[in-house]
Amino acid sequence: MYSTRLAGVELEDPLIIASGIIPDVPEYMSRVCKQYKPSAITTKTFTLHPLEPHGPPTLIRVGDGCYMNAIGLGNPGIGELKPMGCKLFVSVGGSSKDEIVRTASLANDLAEIIEINVSSPNRRSYGADMAQQVKEIVRDVKGVTTKPVFVKLGPWDNVQDLAGKALEGGADGLTLINTLKGMKVNVISAKPILSYGTGGISGRCIHPLAVRVIHDVYKEYSPEIIGIGGVFSAEDALELMEVGAKVVGVGTLIIDQGLEAFETLRRDFHRLVQEMGINLTEVIGSAVKK
């Protein structure tokens, strides 16, 4: 196993399950922890109070290994968070700074890392709509938690500026990248297919975008980064590490092929690293010229 340390948190290997993939059902999450033993699971985003998801359809396939979703941060509220049997990176969100801070405070005891979601494109007044307050949000969250704080950002033109503000606010690291806002229309009805209209594009089709964003942010700030975006192979994971990611989140692969594919990816990754004879510490950021 190739263990790593992320913001002081010990992980058995650098591959984790990304947010939004494992349903927020305690019994199911516990079963995943026991059977697949991921280094960590990032929870779906929790808010202070329960939030109803958008109506169906909320997930559609838009290409080979590419999906678009608009669940809308539906969740049972932070009060339903329970111990799961593996390390939890708890994603928190809200429609105001105070809500995010209160949610983070309640997540503190069960989280290894708090991940602030200010980048979801799928609910008005939440996620991406809170991004401009990121510095103040991070500062206040740091005041109520003893755990490392990461900020999840989307692939926007101003991502470097927002990354800088998050780090100025005291963020211990960044999660890059969230989904890219898109739309798919039914040509017969001339109406959007997703009930929300727009949705977040994930999977293979955003992998090069993730590579570029992580590269640019790492080149500018050298922060600790959880890299996410279309990781379907060991080579994809290593590529994100070479442009600056210390840990890699796997998401759409699991939606597309199931949790067994995550196990296969981990085995392939360990085999690749062994065959290449590389030191993962030296790999991080090795493709970035400063």
Side-chain angles (χ1 to χ4, degrees):
M1 300 290 276
Y2 295 91
S3 62
T4 190
R5 181 187 288 264
L6 180 70
V9 177
E10 291 283 353
L11 298 173
E12 289 190 9
D13 68 26
L15 300 178
I16 67 171
I17 297 178
S19 178
I21 304 303
I22 305 300
D24 43 29
V25 178
E27 296 78 10
Y28 182 78
M29 289 188 73
S30 295
R31 197 180 319 134
V32 171
C33 290
K34 184 177 181 180
Q35 182 173 350
Y36 298 97
K37 297 179 173 60
S39 296
I41 292 177
T42 306
T43 68
K44 295 184 73 172
T45 300
F46 281 96
T47 50
L48 187 61
H49 304 293
L51 201 60
E52 287 295 319
H54 298 314
T58 57
L59 176 70
I60 58 174
R61 188 173 183 270
V62 294
D64 180 21
C66 294
Y67 290 79
M68 188 159 60
N69 84 87
I71 295 170
L73 304 179
N75 74 97
I78 192 63
E80 295 301 311
L81 181 65
K82 302 288 190 299
M84 300 300 169
C86 57
K87 289 183 170 67
L88 294 181
F89 296 176
V90 180
S91 175
V92 300
S95 60
S96 69
K97 176 170 67 70
D98 289 345
E99 181 182 355
I100 294 173
V101 171
R102 291 175 64 191
T103 306
S105 175
L106 292 171
N108 182 74
D109 290 346
L110 294 179
E112 295 288 339
I113 286 176
I114 301 288
E115 182 179 278
I116 304 172
N117 182 354
V118 288
S119 50
S120 171
N122 298 326
R123 191 144 204 146
R124 293 176 186 86
S125 301
Y126 290 77
D129 288 348
M130 297 298 298
Q132 293 305 318
Q133 300 180 49
V134 66
K135 181 177 179 179
E136 294 76 18
I137 291 170
V138 173
R139 180 196 63 209
D140 289 1
V141 167
K142 290 287 289 185
V144 299
T145 181
T146 59
K147 305 299 173 64
V149 174
F150 276 58
V151 175
K152 189 172 187 178
L153 296 173
W156 310 313
D157 291 341
N158 65 340
V159 63
Q160 281 183 266
D161 178 54
L162 292 173
K165 289 179 179 178
L167 295 168
E168 286 175 20
D172 299 282
L174 304 169
T175 300
L176 305 169
I177 58 175
N178 209 328
T179 56
L180 179 68
K181 189 175 184 178
M183 177 183 281
K184 189 76 174 168
V185 169
N186 182 316
V187 296
I188 305 301
S189 66
K191 294 179 180 180
I193 296 174
L194 290 172
S195 64
Y196 186 61
T198 59
I201 304 169
S202 68
R204 295 184 193 274
C205 40
I206 71 165
H207 183 73
L209 184 56
V211 172
R212 192 268 298 172
V213 171
I214 293 168
H215 172 281
D216 291 353
V217 171
Y218 185 81
K219 183 175 182 179
E220 184 71 22
Y221 304 109
S222 300
E224 296 211 358
I225 296 174
I226 300 172
I228 301 173
V231 173
F232 271 65
S233 68
E235 289 78 9
D236 291 339
L238 194 59
E239 185 178 15
L240 292 191
M241 295 184 76
E242 288 178 345
V243 293
K246 195 170 188 180
V247 166
V248 174
V250 180
T252 303
L253 171 66
I254 297 171
I255 293 173
D256 193 61
Q257 300 177 26
L259 280 159
E260 291 75 15
F262 177 71
E263 280 193 313
T264 301
L265 174 62
R266 292 175 82 186
R267 288 196 298 269
D268 290 346
F269 179 81
H270 288 253
R271 188 181 304 116
L272 177 64
V273 171
Q274 188 174 27
E275 289 174 352
M276 294 179 66
I278 55 179
N279 184 325
L280 286 182
T281 302
E282 296 173 358
V283 164
I284 299 165
S286 59
V288 180
K289 294 181 180 179
K290 295 189 175 184

